[in-house]
Coordinates of all heavy atoms in Angstrom, one line a residue:
A468 N -35.8 -14.9 22.7 CA -34.7 -14.4 23.7 C -33.4 -15.2 23.4 O -32.4 -14.6 23.4 CB -35.2 -14.4 25.1
F469 N -33.6 -16.6 23.2 CA -32.5 -17.3 22.9 C -31.9 -17.0 21.4 O -30.5 -17.0 21.4 CB -32.9 -18.8 22.8 CG -31.9 -19.8 22.4 CD1 -30.8 -20.1 23.2 CD2 -31.9 -20.4 21.2 CE1 -29.7 -21.0 22.7 CE2 -31.0 -21.4 20.7 CZ -30.0 -21.6 21.4
L470 N -32.6 -16.7 20.5 CA -32.1 -16.5 19.2 C -31.6 -15.2 18.8 O -30.7 -15.1 18.0 CB -33.2 -16.9 18.1 CG -33.6 -18.5 18.1 CD1 -34.6 -18.7 17.1 CD2 -32.3 -19.3 17.4
S471 N -32.2 -14.2 19.4 CA -31.9 -12.9 19.1 C -30.3 -12.5 19.3 O -29.7 -12.1 18.3 CB -32.6 -11.8 19.9 OG -34.0 -12.0 19.6
P472 N -29.7 -12.8 20.4 CA -28.4 -12.6 20.5 C -27.5 -13.3 19.6 O -26.4 -13.0 19.0 CB -27.9 -12.8 22.0 CG -29.0 -13.7 22.4 CD -30.3 -13.3 21.6
I473 N -27.9 -14.6 19.3 CA -27.1 -15.5 18.4 C -27.2 -14.9 17.0 O -26.1 -14.9 16.3 CB -27.8 -16.9 18.4 CG1 -27.5 -17.5 19.7 CG2 -27.3 -17.7 17.2 CD1 -28.3 -18.9 19.9
D474 N -28.4 -14.4 16.6 CA -28.4 -13.7 15.2 C -27.5 -12.5 15.2 O -26.8 -12.2 14.1 CB -29.8 -13.2 15.0 CG -30.0 -12.7 13.5 OD1 -29.7 -13.4 12.6 OD2 -30.4 -11.5 13.5
E475 N -27.4 -11.7 16.3 CA -26.5 -10.5 16.3 C -25.0 -11.1 16.2 O -24.2 -10.2 15.7 CB -26.7 -9.7 17.6 CG -28.2 -9.1 17.8 CD -28.2 -8.0 16.8 OE1 -27.3 -7.4 16.2 OE2 -29.5 -7.8 16.2
Q476 N -24.6 -12.1 16.7 CA -23.2 -12.7 16.6 C -23.0 -13.8 15.6 O -22.2 -14.5 15.7 CB -22.9 -13.2 18.0 CG -22.9 -12.1 19.2 CD -22.0 -11.0 19.0 OE1 -20.9 -11.2 18.7 NE2 -22.4 -9.8 19.2
R477 N -23.8 -13.7 14.5 CA -23.9 -14.7 13.5 C -22.5 -15.1 12.9 O -22.4 -16.2 12.5 CB -25.0 -14.5 12.5 CG -24.8 -13.2 11.7 CD -25.9 -12.8 11.0 NE -25.7 -11.5 10.3 CZ -25.5 -10.3 10.9 NH1 -25.5 -10.2 12.1 NH2 -25.4 -9.3 10.0
W478 N -21.8 -14.1 12.7 CA -20.4 -14.3 12.0 C -19.3 -14.8 13.0 O -18.2 -15.1 12.5 CB -20.0 -13.2 11.2 CG -20.9 -12.7 10.1 CD1 -21.5 -11.5 10.1 CD2 -21.5 -13.5 9.1 NE1 -22.4 -11.4 9.0 CE2 -22.3 -12.8 8.3 CE3 -21.2 -14.8 8.7 CZ2 -22.9 -13.1 7.1 CZ3 -21.8 -15.2 7.4 CH2 -22.7 -14.4 6.8
K479 N -19.7 -14.9 14.3 CA -18.6 -15.1 15.2 C -18.8 -16.6 15.9 O -18.0 -17.0 16.8 CB -18.8 -14.2 16.4 CG -18.3 -12.7 15.9 CD -18.2 -11.7 17.0 CE -18.1 -10.3 16.4 NZ -18.1 -9.3 17.5
A480 N -19.8 -17.3 15.5 CA -20.2 -18.5 16.2 C -19.1 -19.7 15.7 O -18.8 -19.7 14.6 CB -21.5 -19.1 15.8
N481 N -18.6 -20.5 16.7 CA -17.7 -21.5 16.3 C -18.5 -22.7 16.0 O -19.7 -22.8 16.3 CB -16.7 -21.7 17.6 CG -17.4 -22.1 18.8 OD1 -18.3 -22.8 18.8 ND2 -16.9 -21.4 19.9
P482 N -17.9 -23.9 15.5 CA -18.8 -25.0 15.1 C -19.5 -25.6 16.3 O -20.6 -25.9 16.1 CB -17.5 -26.0 14.7 CG -16.5 -25.0 14.0 CD -16.4 -23.8 15.0
A483 N -18.9 -25.7 17.6 CA -19.6 -26.2 18.7 C -20.8 -25.4 19.0 O -21.9 -26.1 19.3 CB -18.6 -26.3 19.9
A484 N -20.7 -24.0 18.9 CA -21.9 -23.2 19.2 C -23.0 -23.5 18.2 O -24.2 -23.5 18.5 CB -21.4 -21.7 19.3
Q485 N -22.5 -23.6 16.9 CA -23.5 -23.9 15.8 C -24.3 -25.0 16.0 O -25.4 -25.2 15.8 CB -22.8 -23.8 14.5 CG -22.3 -22.5 14.0 CD -21.3 -22.6 12.7 OE1 -20.9 -23.6 12.5 NE2 -21.2 -21.4 12.3
I486 N -23.6 -26.1 16.6 CA -24.2 -27.4 16.8 C -25.3 -27.2 17.9 O -26.4 -27.7 17.9 CB -23.2 -28.4 17.1 CG1 -22.4 -28.8 15.9 CG2 -23.9 -29.8 17.7 CD1 -21.1 -29.7 16.1
R487 N -24.9 -26.5 19.0 CA -25.8 -26.2 20.2 C -27.1 -25.6 19.8 O -28.2 -25.9 20.1 CB -25.1 -25.7 21.2 CG -24.1 -26.5 21.9 CD -23.7 -25.8 23.3 NE -23.0 -24.5 23.1 CZ -21.7 -24.4 23.0 NH1 -20.9 -25.4 23.0 NH2 -21.3 -23.2 22.8
V488 N -26.7 -24.5 18.8 CA -28.0 -23.7 18.3 C -28.8 -24.6 17.4 O -30.1 -24.6 17.5 CB -27.4 -22.4 17.5 CG1 -28.6 -21.7 16.8 CG2 -26.7 -21.7 18.4

Side-chain angles (χ1 to χ4, degrees):
F469 170 76
L470 289 172
S471 293
I473 291 170
D474 183 62
E475 292 297 328
Q476 301 293 321
R477 61 202 179 284
W478 298 122
K479 298 180 181 180
N481 58 45
Q485 291 173 343
I486 291 171
R487 289 196 296 272
V488 172

